[in-house]
Amino acid sequence: MKKRILTLLFLATYIHSFAQLTFSERVEYSELATPKDKQLFLVDFWATWCVPCIHVSTYLNTVQEQFRDELYIVSLTQERSDVVRPFLQKHLTKLAVSIDYEGQNFKNHRVRALPYGILLNADGEVLWKGNPANITPRMIRGFLSRNKKTIPIYDFLKYSSYQSEAETEVTLNDDFELKQINAPASSSAIVQRFDAITSVRGSLAQIVSYLLKVNEKQVVLTENNTQYELLLQKKFNNVYSEKKIATQLLSDLGYTLQSENRAGKIIEIRLPTDTSAYWNTDQIDWGQKNAKFLVDDSQFSADDISVYDFLYKLSEVLGTPVIVKNKQQATNELFDWQLHYKFPDLMFSNLTDLGFEAIETSGNFTKYFIVEK
């Protein structure tokens, strides 16, 4: 009997050792790593909305270049393929890229903020974890000297068939629905579209900032790091309905929304009297199930969003309140957008090309406070 139990235990351990990580879908193969068996595997957890992740990816390309034979780096995201692939067309990488649709690897390794990485040996033991920008070639050489065992790449990495979110029907019976989710914190709300439903994921303050069309610095909520997803019917995805929904969902959670007028630096906007200079919806096409925004360290693009959503994202990336002086010119019509925001002169030039009158000045803006009833 004991012999049988030992045999079963050995078999379970043996099988486990040949499938240390399981992913949902392979998006890109590594162009840098050789096919040789590897001593170490580095998982780079990232997302398209994570601007620092772009810099980390550039750094990890150079790391993979130095350790072609010994190390295999794979960039792993929870986002859908139809969001990731257009992003990679613009932000080229030579690293392997995979998708973790159910987020099981994110949960297993308690990923709470991005960028994040883990380094494993051939036995699947975690040797190091943290921001991948902090792992140096010298550290990797040290790990290599102490972990000589190798394993074939695709014995260590497995891919299981999975119906992606892009193929899964998202339904919503009510006007909106808010639910808690297990997901890493993000630098801003993650806004995606599922046909006639808009999904907004993030902290409560981030979701409320999206609904109010202000940046997150204008919304104050202390001691609540819970992550949520808001599902919103398309017909309510407009600035007037969203403000009412913000008040209602806060009330349902036992909060109320208070506001104060503040003075400081603002971007003052006057909208054009017509929309002829706006991009029509044929300029960018990410499909029916897509992210609303793709942001990098110098510009952002948007597919089929209103002028208010565009100005919300501008305020978010700048961290500065955007004040519209002639709101009567706003429309709920959808457009495509692209704006350089890193260099002020170029940003204001882009805004002028769209017909906006925009200046950086001092003025009044609203600060919101989420407080318990």
Side-chain angles (χ1 to χ4, degrees):
M1 182 68 178
K2 290 183 179 179
K3 182 177 180 181
R4 184 179 179 185
I5 292 173
L6 289 173
T7 301
L8 289 172
L9 287 172
F10 172 77
L11 180 60
T13 304
Y14 177 81
I15 292 172
H16 176 71
S17 69
F18 281 89
Q20 302 296 353
L21 294 172
T22 301
F23 303 148
S24 305
E25 180 181 340
R26 182 188 295 109
V27 179
E28 290 188 0
Y29 289 92
S30 176
E31 297 180 32
L32 298 173
T34 66
K36 291 180 63 175
D37 296 356
K38 303 302 180 194
Q39 295 170 245
L40 301 176
F41 293 81
L42 177 63
V43 181
D44 164 38
F45 296 94
W46 72 288
T48 58
W49 47 259
C50 171
V51 175
C53 294
I54 300 171
H55 301 293
V56 167
S57 178
T58 301
Y59 170 65
L60 292 180
N61 272 265
T62 65
V63 172
Q64 183 67 91
E65 182 82 41
Q66 293 180 60
F67 300 97
R68 288 173 174 262
D69 294 334
E70 307 91 348
L71 170 69
Y72 193 84
I73 300 177
V74 56
S75 294
L76 187 66
T77 178
Q78 298 182 85
E79 296 168 292
R80 304 186 317 277
S81 178
D82 58 352
V83 172
V84 175
R85 292 182 187 278
F87 181 86
L88 293 176
Q89 289 176 3
K90 184 175 180 182
H91 302 276
L92 301 178
T93 182
K94 294 185 178 181
L95 298 175
V97 179
S98 294
I99 295 176
D100 186 23
Y101 282 120
E102 292 182 315
Q104 194 59 51
N105 291 281
F106 282 73
K107 296 171 189 174
N108 290 346
H109 297 286
R110 299 181 181 179
V111 179
R112 292 289 179 265
L114 299 176
Y116 188 79
I118 58 169
L119 183 72
L120 305 99
N121 63 16
D123 289 321
E125 298 170 338
V126 177
L127 306 175
W128 175 93
K129 55 187 176 182
N131 188 326
N134 295 330
I135 191 165
T136 64
R138 182 178 180 180
M139 293 168 62
I140 292 172
R141 282 190 285 268
F143 288 121
L144 288 170
S145 68
R146 298 188 296 273
N147 296 269
K148 299 291 188 181
K149 181 179 176 181
T150 63
I151 187 172
I153 296 169
Y154 294 112
D155 282 349
F156 192 89
L157 304 179
K158 294 294 183 181
Y159 290 85
S160 63
S161 60
Y162 182 81
Q163 185 183 31
S164 74
E165 293 179 40
E167 300 167 338
T168 303
E169 188 71 23
V170 178
T171 59
L172 179 60
N173 296 322
D174 298 321
D175 297 340
F176 70 91
E177 175 187 326
L178 183 72
K179 58 184 178 181
Q180 290 189 23
I181 58 172
N182 185 359
S186 60
S187 57
S188 62
I190 304 167
V191 185
Q192 296 177 296
R193 184 183 297 110
F194 299 88
D195 295 324
I197 297 173
T198 296
S199 163
V200 188
R201 289 184 292 160
S203 68
L204 188 58
Q206 289 171 335
I207 290 174
V208 170
S209 71
Y210 170 76
L211 293 172
L212 298 178
K213 303 307 179 209
V214 299
N215 71 72
E216 190 184 348
K217 292 180 180 179
Q218 291 175 249
V219 179
V220 178
L221 172 62
T222 57
E223 298 181 358
N224 189 333
N225 297 318
T226 305
Q227 298 295 298
Y228 295 90
E229 180 178 30
L230 172 68
L231 297 178
L232 183 67
Q233 295 280 10
K234 184 178 180 180
K235 63 182 179 180
F236 295 101
N237 194 189
N238 61 74
V239 67
Y240 306 107
S241 298
E242 288 173 345
K243 288 182 178 179
K244 294 179 182 178
I245 289 172
T247 301
Q248 185 175 338
L249 68 85
L250 287 174
S251 179
D252 292 344
L253 292 172
Y255 292 102
T256 186
L257 190 65
Q258 299 178 0
S259 63
E260 293 180 5
N261 287 327
R262 297 290 179 90
K265 184 176 76 171
I266 63 171
I267 303 295
E268 185 177 287
I269 296 283
R270 289 190 178 275
L271 302 174
T273 55
D274 65 76
T275 61
S276 58
Y278 294 179
W279 286 14
N280 63 44
T281 55
D282 296 329
Q283 301 301 309
I284 298 174
D285 184 8
W286 296 332
Q288 289 299 309
K289 300 179 176 69
N290 59 39
K292 280 197 170 188
F293 307 101
L294 289 181
V295 183
D296 63 26
D297 59 350
S298 63
Q299 68 177 12
F300 71 86
S301 304
D303 181 23
D304 292 1
I305 67 166
S306 69
V307 64
Y308 270 115
D309 272 3
F310 168 71
L311 294 176
Y312 151 75
K313 181 51 67 173
L314 175 61
S315 179
E316 190 68 47
V317 297
L318 295 177
T320 303
V322 171
I323 306 299
V324 179
K325 303 301 288 186
N326 57 339
K327 293 182 180 180
Q328 70 276 11
Q329 298 298 334
T331 171
N332 287 319
E333 189 178 353
L334 304 182
F335 302 92
D336 294 340
W337 309 84
Q338 188 173 71
L339 185 81
H340 293 267
Y341 66 86
K342 185 174 183 179
F343 304 105
D345 289 346
L346 182 56
M347 179 187 75
F348 285 112
S349 176
N350 284 176
L351 290 170
T352 299
D353 291 342
L354 292 169
F356 291 85
E357 295 179 20
I359 59 170
E360 182 181 296
T361 185
S362 295
N364 295 323
F365 62 90
T366 304
K367 188 116 180 178
Y368 297 91
F369 298 86
I370 300 173
V371 297
E372 293 184 356
K373 291 182 178 178

